[in-house]
Every structure is written in structure tokens, then in C-alpha cells.
């Protein structure tokens, strides 16, 4: 059986992930986002995954101890730029164009400290949780 030309790359990725995971604290780690970019052979056709979207939501919400992390795919073919607006109990995502998605949160967030970043077609929003009165905020 012929070897896959990408076998060595996958072995390198596996070794890298083993090293990363071995150096992490023993707490329950969460991986928020992960990207692997590798050059394709010159003769390989360009694969546009945006046309193969399924009906599943392209928004991921992960709640940590201190923050809520939201990740969504931006629409590369939309006319408008993607953006995020923050409210105390919800976040509104516009992945491009006119459509907006409202995500209701189960706790209040600190709106002035919340921020988002759009890079390589991915929107990442970080929403620090609001501290209760008299509670010491974690850092």
C-alpha cells in the first residue's frame, strides 16, 4: 500500500499536540479554536468549503469561569463587514450582509470590557462575566 504524502505532516501534528497537552495544567482544558494552514500542491484544485455549508449553526458558544467565548464563521461573500454588538444579557452577531443572530446569555456580561476580533473569516468574541456586588473579580 502506498504511503500518503501527508503522513509525515500528520505525525508532526500529533507530536505537537502531545507536547501541548503534556504542558497544560491538569485542570479540564478547553480548546476554543484551532487552525492548521498548510500549502497545497500546485496541481491540487482549490476547495471552497463555504458552498458546502449544512443547516447546522455556525456559531459556537463556550462558557468559562470568567468569560463567555463566542466563535462564528464570517460570510466572505457578503457585502457588509462582520461585527458584534454587546448587551448585558445578549450578543448580536452580524457575520456579514444584513442578517443578524442574537445569542441570549445565561448571565450578565461586562459590556465595556467585551471585545471581538475578525481574522481569516472567523469572528471571535470574548465577553467577561459581570461580577456580583461584593464579589472579588478574578484576573
Amino acid at each position: 500500500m502506498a504511503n500518503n504524502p501527508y503522513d509525515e505532516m500528520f505525525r508532526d501534528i500529533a507530536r505537537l499536540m502531545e507536547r501541548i497537552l503534556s504542558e497544560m495544567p491538569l485542570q479540564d482544558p478547553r480548546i476554543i479554536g484551532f487552525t492548521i494552514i498548510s500549502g497545497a500542491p500546485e496541481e491540487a484544485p482549490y476547495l471552497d468549503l463555504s458552498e458546502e455549508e449544512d443547516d447546522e449553526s455556525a456559531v459556537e458558544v463556550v462558557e468559562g469561569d470568567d468569560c463567555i467565548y463566542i466563535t462564528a464563521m464570517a460570510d466572505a461573500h457578503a457585502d457588509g463587514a462582520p461585527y458584534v454588538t454587546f448587551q448585558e444579557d445578549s450578543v448580536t452577531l452580524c457575520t456579514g450582509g444584513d442578517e443578524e443572530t442574537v445569542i441570549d446569555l445565561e448571565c450578565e456580561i461586562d459590556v465595556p470590557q467585551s471585545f471581538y476580533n475578525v481574522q481569516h473569516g472567523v469572528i471571535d468574541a470574548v465577553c467577561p462575566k459581570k461580577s456580583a456586588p461584593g464579589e472579588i473579580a478574578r484576573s
Side-chain angles (χ1 to χ4, degrees), residues 12-23 31 34:
D12 290 342
I13 291 170
R15 281 191 289 262
L16 177 64
M17 289 304 297
E18 286 174 6
R19 193 174 96 218
I20 290 171
L21 293 173
S22 70
E23 294 175 3
I31 297 175
F34 191 84

Side-chain angles (χ1 to χ4, degrees), residues 4-17 36:
N4 185 336
Y6 298 109
D7 282 347
E8 185 63 31
M9 181 180 69
F10 290 127
R11 279 193 287 273
D12 290 342
I13 291 170
R15 281 191 289 262
L16 177 64
M17 289 304 297
I36 298 173

Side-chain angles (χ1 to χ4, degrees), residues 23-129:
E23 294 175 3
M24 291 183 91
L26 295 176
Q27 301 167 353
D28 182 25
R30 289 192 171 99
I31 297 175
I32 303 300
F34 191 84
T35 302
I36 298 173
I37 300 173
S38 177
E42 291 180 22
E43 65 275 358
Y46 174 73
L47 178 62
D48 186 7
L49 298 176
S50 63
E51 295 175 7
E52 297 179 14
E53 292 180 15
D54 51 5
D55 292 337
E56 290 183 25
S57 173
V59 177
E60 179 181 16
V61 179
V62 176
E63 184 172 347
D65 292 335
D66 300 330
C67 294
I68 297 173
Y69 304 94
I70 301 170
T71 303
M73 296 295 295
D75 185 358
H77 302 292
D79 292 333
Y83 63 88
V84 179
T85 56
F86 301 98
Q87 297 81 31
E88 284 191 350
D89 60 352
S90 67
V91 173
T92 303
L93 289 174
C94 179
T95 57
D98 296 330
E99 279 191 46
E100 292 184 339
T101 303
V102 177
I103 301 169
D104 293 320
L105 305 174
E106 298 195 17
C107 64
E108 289 188 359
I109 61 171
D110 188 357
V111 175
Q113 297 298 316
S114 298
F115 63 94
Y116 72 96
N117 185 17
V118 179
Q119 195 170 28
H120 302 297
V122 177
I123 303 171
D124 286 313
V126 179
C127 311
K129 293 181 180 179

